[in-house]
Amino acid sequence: MIREKIIKNYVVMGGEKMEKQLSIIIPVYNVAGYLETCLSSIKKQTWKDFEVIIVDDGSTDESPAICDCFCKEDNRFRVIHKKNEGVSKARNTGIDVATGKYFLFFDSDDFVEPYACEELIKMAEEKKADTVIYGYHRYKDGKVWETNYPKFDQDFYIGDEIIDQVLPRFIGLSNKSVNRFIANEEGALFVENPALWRTLVSGELIRDNNIRFNENLKVGEDTIFISEYLSYAERCYIHRKCYYYLVTRETSTIYQYELDPVAKLEGKLRLLDARNELTDRINKQKQVSIDHCWRGTIIMSCMELAFLFSKKNNKLSFRKRYQLFLSYINNKEVKDTIKSFDLKFRLGIKLIPFELLKKKLYFLLFLAVSMLQLVHYEFQRN
């Protein structure tokens, strides 16, 4: 019989709580058109010893009914119905009730190969790894349009190698990367996708170290979570095989965020604070500074926001857009980063905006970028 219980003001529906080898945590918010495909791909897994913790974050469409249906049909599925508080809170709610030795965090509009869980669990057990990082496909209109394998020099990282060589690939860009970009080196700004849906992680490690998602972040929460998690990890295996299908949809939160310069400004400032807090925590924990791993991200964010705010906007005047751009530049942390940025001299047009930034010629930078917008120049990181 299906269970319905009130826990911390949440309505929980599904089978009895039992310890499982794997917990799959899925936040859900208004994805009725995609949810059944996602949950069906999990139900079809060849690995059977799992629980699915679905956290319905106050959906107003048919998503809650779809969740309840799967719980009635399969007692490995449980759903927590709660008010809308954001994806980080939803995932933390899932972590609080999950029992698995290993965790997977999936998004509710994506889907996975039927053998994904079996191969990942067996790989983690065989390698005695607390972390398995794997590849993914980008999927749109019924077909794969891009395939992404993890890009690392080794297959296996142990102990301090993880914080030295794996974590920096997720948390951001270094100043060295920015200078390589200016020098036109291919792939200079490559960063591994920090999304948790492409990583099998240890439930025990998360519980023992009280690792949680930052609920103040609307974007970038995965970056902080995976970076903190890796600072505790001991054995990380890189598997160059794709299991996950990342579905591109124009109604997704991240798609809308990319189109909104004001939201992006707010997100970057919050993520800046979160990176600083994380850097301090890791420094206290490991006596290792990761500050240099992400300072270049701030420099590139200055450029990205210059392009975003210089673009004509019917809701914002030129003056207002420039003021918003300056609000990022004038942040103390950003100003200090610009001041300390060691810009290597290079011949070429790419150097010019960085020179203007370094010399505090912010209006000239903004004006120059505005002119580029008139000739439909698009800012490209790579």
Side-chain angles (χ1 to χ4, degrees):
M1 183 174 181
I2 190 165
R3 180 173 65 117
E4 183 171 341
K5 187 176 181 182
I6 305 296
I7 300 178
K8 295 180 181 178
N9 299 319
Y10 305 147
V11 179
V12 182
M13 300 185 68
E16 290 302 316
K17 182 175 179 179
M18 297 177 63
E19 290 187 6
K20 296 288 186 179
Q21 184 80 341
L22 173 66
S23 295
I24 303 172
I25 298 172
I26 308 175
V28 170
Y29 181 70
N30 289 353
V31 286
Y34 302 85
L35 183 56
E36 188 170 354
T37 299
C38 172
L39 298 181
S40 293
S41 74
I42 297 171
K43 190 174 182 179
K44 295 173 183 176
Q45 290 297 303
T46 56
W47 182 265
K48 304 302 181 183
D49 185 19
F50 65 79
E51 64 177 358
V52 182
I53 310 297
I54 310 167
V55 185
D56 167 35
D57 192 34
S59 297
T60 56
D61 63 358
E62 295 301 312
S63 295
I66 295 171
C67 295
D68 291 346
C69 182
F70 272 83
C71 291
K72 290 176 183 177
E73 293 176 352
D74 192 326
N75 64 10
R76 295 173 300 176
F77 287 72
R78 288 192 293 154
V79 60
I80 300 172
H81 296 291
K82 59 183 287 298
K83 67 179 182 180
N84 180 249
E85 296 174 287
V87 66
S88 292
K89 177 68 173 178
R91 285 174 174 159
N92 286 340
T93 300
I95 290 173
D96 289 341
V97 301
T99 67
K101 178 180 180 181
Y102 300 102
F103 285 1
L104 284 168
F105 294 91
F106 290 163
D107 284 353
S108 54
D109 47 358
D110 302 329
F111 60 98
V112 293
E113 297 283 7
Y115 46 81
C117 293
E118 180 173 7
E119 292 193 7
L120 290 170
I121 291 290
K122 287 182 177 179
M123 198 174 309
E125 293 286 293
E126 177 187 331
K127 304 292 183 181
K128 295 181 171 57
D130 52 36
T131 311
V132 180
I133 299 170
Y134 51 91
Y136 63 96
H137 304 289
R138 291 187 181 272
Y139 188 86
K140 185 176 182 180
D141 299 330
K143 61 183 180 181
V144 172
W145 61 272
E146 183 180 272
T147 295
N148 297 272
Y149 298 102
K151 296 179 181 178
F152 291 90
D153 296 331
Q154 301 171 199
D155 292 336
F156 208 72
Y157 294 86
I158 300 175
D160 290 343
E161 290 180 334
I162 297 173
I163 204 167
D164 291 338
Q165 301 177 54
V166 180
L167 188 156
R169 303 300 294 272
F170 289 96
I171 195 169
L173 298 166
S174 66
N175 286 341
K176 182 179 179 181
S177 296
V178 177
N179 275 304
R180 289 177 55 217
F181 169 74
I182 297 170
N184 293 313
E185 291 188 31
E186 186 176 352
L189 300 184
F190 174 78
V191 176
E192 285 285 348
N193 192 327
L196 265 295
W197 39 250
R198 48 90 54 100
T199 310
L200 177 79
V201 294
S202 164
E204 182 180 4
L205 194 153
I206 289 171
R207 287 186 286 261
D208 288 351
N209 296 286
N210 195 32
I211 304 172
R212 292 295 186 271
F213 288 88
N214 187 324
E215 295 177 11
N216 291 322
L217 296 178
K218 295 181 179 179
V219 292
E221 71 284 346
D222 280 4
T223 298
I224 300 303
F225 187 96
I226 189 62
S227 298
E228 182 164 18
Y229 174 87
L230 288 170
S231 73
Y232 289 101
E234 289 296 329
R235 297 172 66 86
C236 178
Y237 183 69
I238 310 299
H239 189 47
R240 292 170 179 82
K241 184 173 181 178
C242 296
Y243 295 102
Y244 196 88
Y245 291 82
L246 174 62
V247 178
T248 301
R249 60 184 179 94
E250 295 183 359
T251 55
S252 69
T253 300
I254 193 64
Y255 187 91
Q256 296 301 317
Y257 168 78
E258 291 293 334
L259 299 176
D260 186 345
V262 177
K264 203 155 196 178
L265 168 63
E266 179 186 350
K268 285 182 178 297
L269 287 170
R270 289 191 179 190
L271 190 53
L272 173 58
D273 290 339
R275 279 194 175 102
N276 269 318
E277 291 167 4
L278 175 63
T279 298
D280 289 342
R281 289 199 299 273
I282 292 177
N283 200 358
K284 290 177 183 177
Q285 167 205 339
K286 295 279 190 177
Q287 289 75 54
V288 173
S289 176
I290 62 167
D291 187 83
H292 66 283
C293 297
W294 56 270
R295 284 293 161 182
T297 301
I298 296 177
I299 301 299
M300 292 308 299
S301 289
C302 292
M303 295 301 164
E304 184 179 3
L305 290 171
F307 274 87
L308 282 172
F309 281 112
S310 64
K311 187 176 293 185
K312 187 176 180 180
N313 187 317
N314 292 331
K315 296 180 181 179
L316 300 170
S317 66
F318 179 91
R319 181 180 179 181
K320 181 61 177 178
R321 285 183 277 124
Y322 179 60
Q323 289 174 339
L324 287 167
F325 168 66
L326 284 183
S327 70
Y328 184 78
I329 296 291
N330 287 328
N331 174 278
K332 184 181 184 305
E333 196 75 35
V334 175
K335 288 175 74 173
D336 289 345
T337 301
I338 295 171
K339 183 178 180 180
S340 63
F341 177 52
D342 184 16
L343 179 62
K344 305 297 184 184
F345 180 75
R346 298 277 198 283
L347 293 175
I349 196 169
K350 258 188 180 179
L351 181 69
I352 296 173
F354 293 93
E355 281 277 11
L356 294 175
L357 181 69
K358 181 71 177 174
K359 292 178 178 178
K360 301 181 182 179
L361 299 173
Y362 305 138
F363 185 72
L364 281 180
L365 170 59
F366 198 79
L367 195 60
V369 171
S370 299
M371 298 300 291
L372 288 173
Q373 303 279 10
L374 295 177
V375 295
H376 307 291
Y377 178 86
E378 293 291 334
F379 175 77
Q380 298 289 338
R381 278 181 40 136
N382 291 306

